[in-house]
Amino acid sequence: MNNAVAGFSKLSKKEKINWIANTYFSTPEEALTIIRNYWNSDEKLQQLHDEFIENTITNLYIPLGVAPNFLINGEYKTIPMAIEESSVVAAASKAAKYWSTRGGFKATVIDTEKIGQVHFTFNGDAEKLHSFFDQIKPKFFSETQSITKNMQQRGGGILDIKLKDKRSLLENYFQLHATFETKDSMGANFINSCLEQFATTLKDEFQNSDLFSEDESVKVIMSILSNYVPNCIVRAEVSCPIEDLTEKHIPNPQEFAERFLQAVQIAEVEPFRAVTHNKGIMNGVDAVILATGNDFRAVEAGVHAYASKNGQYASLSHAKIEDGIFTFWLEIPLALGTVGGLTSLHPLVKLCFDILEKPSAQELMQIVAVAGLAQNFAALRSLTTTGIQEGHMKMHLNNIINQFEATDDERHLIKSHFKKNAVSHSAVVEFIENLRK
Ligand code: MEV
């Protein structure tokens, strides 16, 4: 079907929904009912959500759960997690409880530097460009004063601006490579505004400079922050004496520690495993990022780039056994905000910040990294002992029961049957079908 539409953005919400229902559904009323069922009955609240994006027709719910008992740097935290995948919150809670009696999680912010670039071309004498840059560098700071004033009051601002010659990569390609400190905000707007002003300053100063000949020119291609933030890093760690690393399926803690270590080492050298291993880490990371209204696409892009920083995609977490101590840790880049954006707009995001006791951006970095490490620990613990399917399928049982719209009585019978029997999709379906015969 060829369903192009002109002027869609100008239609009212009602008209947009009607167009969708009438164009894609043989029974438009049914589609309309589903769409409306997910509207919030509080019109103001619905309007708030409508205005987060464009062409909103309804809301897609993602469950918001909590994982309690996270002992982080000596304080207990309850971590809110927004995620649709079963088992993730249970795994986080289990890992939290496990480490709470073994010293808890230690988290440290290593650095908080953000990056932005003005990409431009210059077709002349590079030495002249370098001395021109040195001359005008103070102007980049003075002409962004109105943008940086507030940020400076909060202790942030532009850290440095460098001219980079990138002609070995692309003809005439240069950059202004700037670094920023954005304190409790993620800083995207601040950085991009500074960069666009740098671009204007660069063009204006170039025009007014008498250093260059008629044939030499500067062309700004684009100005944008980088979501790769290898100097905005947080480390999360757990450690304990080997004998404390008890695990009911492998009674010898040394054996469990060694098997766990090998599982990490495999992810350090084998990209196919590393991707899945890191996906498990991101189960924890993304769930907290989403619950706190941060940009999970930015975090995902940056984290995976960091995982490839040595030229091959590798595990973000590491483990060692040294002097009878087992240590497991990860380091990830996280550019997060606890002010601005959705953080002050979305009532549930605000609620999550209250549950986390209003963390600073650095505290949130620590919490997110810990959630990632906990998730990774839980996954590797299952994988190296029972395998993940046992626990996973138990959780998945609920999804299958819901899919079949089981009655309360059926639900009870199914659950007690599968307490004693292995869960598989086909086994559950067969059981339900037999029940209903
Ligand atoms: C599933 O969402 C995540 C895992 O595959 C992670 C892993 O394999 O380490 C269990």
Side-chain angles (χ1 to χ4, degrees):
M1 265 201 293
N2 189 0
N3 289 320
V5 53
F8 186 74
S9 67
K10 298 201 178 62
L11 300 181
S12 67
K13 180 175 172 185
K14 197 169 164 205
E15 288 166 334
K16 284 173 188 160
I17 291 168
N18 283 340
W19 184 83
I20 294 286
N22 292 323
T23 309
Y24 291 102
F25 298 90
S26 51
T27 49
E29 261 318 311
E30 275 176 32
L32 288 174
T33 305
I34 296 172
I35 289 172
R36 284 191 205 115
N37 276 347
Y38 285 87
W39 281 350
N40 199 293
S41 54
D42 177 339
E43 273 181 34
K44 274 208 148 154
L45 202 55
Q46 185 53 53
Q47 197 187 340
L48 180 78
H49 285 73
D50 287 354
E51 289 174 4
F52 284 151
I53 62 162
E54 308 74 38
N55 297 342
T56 309
I57 57 169
T58 188
N59 312 299
L60 180 80
Y61 295 164
I62 288 189
L64 176 67
V66 291
N69 299 321
F70 267 96
L71 183 59
I72 306 177
N73 296 340
E75 276 180 34
Y76 276 101
K77 298 270 175 213
T78 298
I79 302 188
M81 302 177 82
I83 187 157
E84 84 303 339
E85 183 177 333
S86 52
S87 303
V88 169
V89 176
S93 309
K94 235 172 127 180
K97 203 162 166 220
Y98 186 92
W99 284 104
S100 70
T101 54
R102 290 166 177 82
F105 293 83
K106 307 211 170 41
T108 332
V109 171
I110 292 170
D111 207 343
T112 56
E113 178 195 275
K114 315 271 167 70
I115 291 167
Q117 297 164 320
V118 177
H119 305 270
F120 67 97
T121 58
F122 169 67
N123 63 345
D125 177 349
E127 270 189 27
K128 279 199 281 176
L129 187 69
H130 276 283
S131 44
F132 164 74
F133 172 77
D134 291 340
Q135 239 173 55
I136 68 160
K137 191 170 170 181
K139 291 231 162 163
F140 291 125
F141 290 88
S142 58
E143 294 187 359
T144 44
Q145 258 305 305
S146 60
I147 307 167
T148 56
K149 212 171 106 205
N150 281 343
M151 188 60 87
Q152 278 168 340
Q153 273 164 9
R154 288 195 271 135
I158 304 161
L159 299 176
D160 196 13
I161 309 165
K162 286 195 165 72
L163 173 67
K164 291 205 173 178
D165 185 340
K166 294 274 169 179
R167 288 175 302 169
S168 62
L169 302 175
L170 212 57
E171 197 184 359
N172 296 339
Y173 176 29
F174 287 84
Q175 285 172 358
L176 296 179
H177 183 97
T179 47
F180 302 85
E181 168 56 57
T182 62
K183 300 311 264 185
D184 283 336
S185 65
M186 189 260 191
N189 275 332
F190 169 74
I191 294 172
N192 289 332
S193 301
C194 288
L195 294 171
E196 289 187 7
Q197 180 56 51
F198 295 163
T200 306
T201 304
L202 177 70
K203 282 185 285 186
D204 291 351
E205 292 300 318
F206 190 87
Q207 291 259 299
N208 297 335
S209 169
D210 46 22
L211 263 179
F212 301 99
S213 71
E214 289 264 297
D215 318 328
E216 290 173 312
S217 62
V218 147
K219 282 200 189 85
V220 171
I221 311 298
M222 59 189 164
S223 311
I224 186 75
L225 94 171
S226 173
N227 289 125
Y228 185 40
V229 282
N231 295 324
C232 188
I233 298 285
V234 56
R235 179 188 163 101
E237 179 187 302
V238 284
S239 69
C240 70
I242 299 273
E243 62 265 26
D244 293 348
L245 205 68
T246 45
E247 154 53 48
K248 78 167 184 261
H249 300 97
I250 304 184
N252 179 350
Q254 180 75 28
E255 194 187 324
F256 173 48
E258 280 169 15
R259 197 182 291 194
F260 193 100
L261 179 66
Q262 281 173 324
V264 176
Q265 286 168 340
I266 289 169
E268 285 172 334
V269 297
E270 161 56 53
F272 282 95
R273 173 56 201 151
V275 172
T276 318
H277 178 98
N278 290 346
K279 189 275 182 189
I281 293 173
M282 299 315 282
N283 277 345
V285 169
D286 281 345
V288 191
I289 300 286
L290 256 183
T292 55
N294 274 276
D295 181 345
F296 64 90
R297 287 85 56 209
V299 168
E300 282 277 343
V303 164
H304 296 298
Y306 191 73
S308 316
K309 66 180 190 306
N310 295 328
Q312 174 172 297
Y313 191 89
S315 167
L316 291 158
S317 64
H318 308 280
K320 64 178 180 187
I321 300 173
E322 243 172 50
D323 303 328
I325 305 285
F326 168 84
T327 310
F328 177 49
W329 74 97
L330 65 68
E331 269 179 29
I332 46 170
L334 288 173
L336 304 181
T338 53
V339 298
L342 270 199
T343 58
S344 49
L345 284 177
H346 197 302
L348 271 179
V349 169
K350 282 200 259 180
L351 184 112
C352 290
F353 276 112
D354 285 340
I355 295 173
L356 289 172
E357 298 168 290
K358 299 194 169 49
S360 64
Q362 292 205 21
E363 285 162 342
L364 185 60
M365 284 169 78
Q366 296 176 352
I367 292 163
V368 170
V370 164
L373 188 71
Q375 212 63 51
N376 194 209
F377 177 78
L380 294 183
R381 183 183 175 189
S382 295
L383 288 168
T384 55
T385 55
T386 57
I388 57 162
Q389 281 315 88
E390 186 185 283
H392 205 82
M393 289 315 286
K394 285 248 148 75
M395 297 284 178
H396 191 52
L397 184 61
N398 272 332
N399 290 346
I400 308 174
I401 291 174
N402 288 338
Q403 202 182 324
F404 277 83
E405 296 180 0
T407 62
D408 286 347
D409 284 347
E410 285 174 335
R411 194 175 283 266
H412 180 74
L413 288 169
I414 299 165
K415 287 217 162 168
S416 48
H417 176 80
F418 284 101
K419 256 198 188 120
K420 287 170 248 130
N421 294 282
V423 181
S424 74
H425 191 88
S426 53
V428 180
V429 172
E430 200 185 316
F431 186 80
I432 296 175
E433 280 171 357
N434 279 338
L435 264 185
R436 289 180 175 174
K437 261 184 200 155

